[in-house]
Amino acid sequence: MPTVKSIVEQRQVAVQRIGQHEAGHWIVARVLGFQVGPLMLRLTGRGNEVAVAHEASATIYLQRNLPAVGDIATYLRERIQVLYAGALAQALTEGSIDELMTKEAQADNAKSDVDKAAEHLELLLNIERGGDQALLQPSARLDARNALCNELFQLAASLVQDHALEIVQIGQELAYRAAQYPSRKALLTVAEIETLLSGLSRQER
């Protein structure tokens, strides 16, 4: 039977991973040129459960001027990477992405991200290969879609891995603030995040 101490420790790790999830969306969006706003996390459960009930968000402004079809394709590619980044960041463990944990996140709290990415993938496939008659075959279309999915997933994974230190640091700060005042919204402003990142940069010199 789990002890109170083990439940508390597991909960702390779970809250940290929620923070990393939102930080992953934020960092990858920022790297890919999206305008970003604050991060938010609010713990909504009783406080004694391992599976942490919560509300969380990374503010990302998706508005872009897209005058050409190629611009739309680029936007979709980058938006899909941002969506995949949450589960990948959530799975960061000791500086590396845990593959099993990523899959578990995608089936659980990141499922809405996966579903949104799937919609964007269909549109992207139509834009990039809409005239390809071979894709009229369901199996060929599925293969093409899976290949595109894997390509963008690996690009997102590379970005998350490259920025693992920043993601974990931001996630820790967001989780700490949320845990200090349960049921209240914990916010990290862009200015506060930039200060954290500047501190990391100085440490690496």
Side-chain angles (χ1 to χ4, degrees):
M1 183 175 179
T3 65
V4 172
K5 181 180 179 182
S6 69
I7 291 173
V8 169
E9 289 173 348
Q10 290 175 61
R11 181 177 169 81
Q12 288 174 338
V13 172
V15 174
Q16 163 70 23
R17 293 200 179 282
I18 294 167
Q20 288 178 196
H21 180 112
E22 300 306 328
H25 286 312
W26 194 96
I27 283 286
V28 170
R30 178 175 176 264
V31 169
L32 292 175
F34 289 97
Q35 294 297 309
V36 289
L39 291 172
M40 185 279 291
L41 174 57
R42 183 169 79 92
L43 307 181
T44 59
R46 294 171 311 206
N48 60 351
E49 64 281 336
V50 175
V52 181
H54 66 280
E55 296 175 0
S57 64
T59 302
I60 300 166
Y61 301 105
L62 301 176
Q63 298 88 348
R64 277 190 182 177
N65 183 32
L66 304 172
V69 173
D71 297 321
I72 298 172
T74 297
Y75 166 85
L76 289 169
R77 282 177 162 272
E78 293 177 348
R79 176 65 177 133
I80 291 166
Q81 290 176 67
V82 171
L83 287 165
Y84 285 152
L88 289 160
Q90 182 174 327
L92 280 170
T93 304
E94 297 181 355
S96 298
I97 298 167
D98 185 294
E99 185 177 345
L100 177 59
M101 201 173 293
T102 301
K103 291 178 179 178
E104 290 173 347
Q106 288 181 314
D108 187 23
N109 63 300
K111 187 176 183 304
S112 63
D113 293 334
V114 174
D115 291 344
K116 289 175 188 174
E119 292 179 13
H120 294 329
L121 277 167
E122 283 296 329
L123 180 55
L124 180 59
L125 191 59
N126 283 329
I127 290 173
E128 293 189 342
R129 298 187 60 183
D132 189 341
Q133 295 298 307
L135 297 191
L136 294 175
Q137 295 295 324
S139 60
R141 185 174 183 83
L142 179 60
D143 288 345
R145 183 185 175 283
N146 287 341
L148 188 56
C149 171
N150 290 336
E151 175 195 347
L152 297 174
F153 185 84
Q154 290 305 318
L155 288 171
S158 294
L159 288 173
V160 168
Q161 190 62 68
D162 289 346
H163 297 275
L165 185 61
E166 297 99 313
I167 288 168
V168 171
Q169 185 71 33
I170 294 167
Q172 285 177 345
E173 181 61 26
L174 185 61
Y176 172 77
R177 294 189 184 195
Q180 289 293 103
Y181 302 100
S183 81
R184 296 186 188 178
K185 287 184 178 181
L187 290 176
L188 262 180
T189 66
V190 174
E192 289 171 326
I193 297 170
E194 294 291 358
T195 298
L196 280 174
L197 297 178
S198 294
L200 285 174
S201 296
R202 287 195 295 272
Q203 291 174 24
E204 290 174 355
R205 289 172 190 165

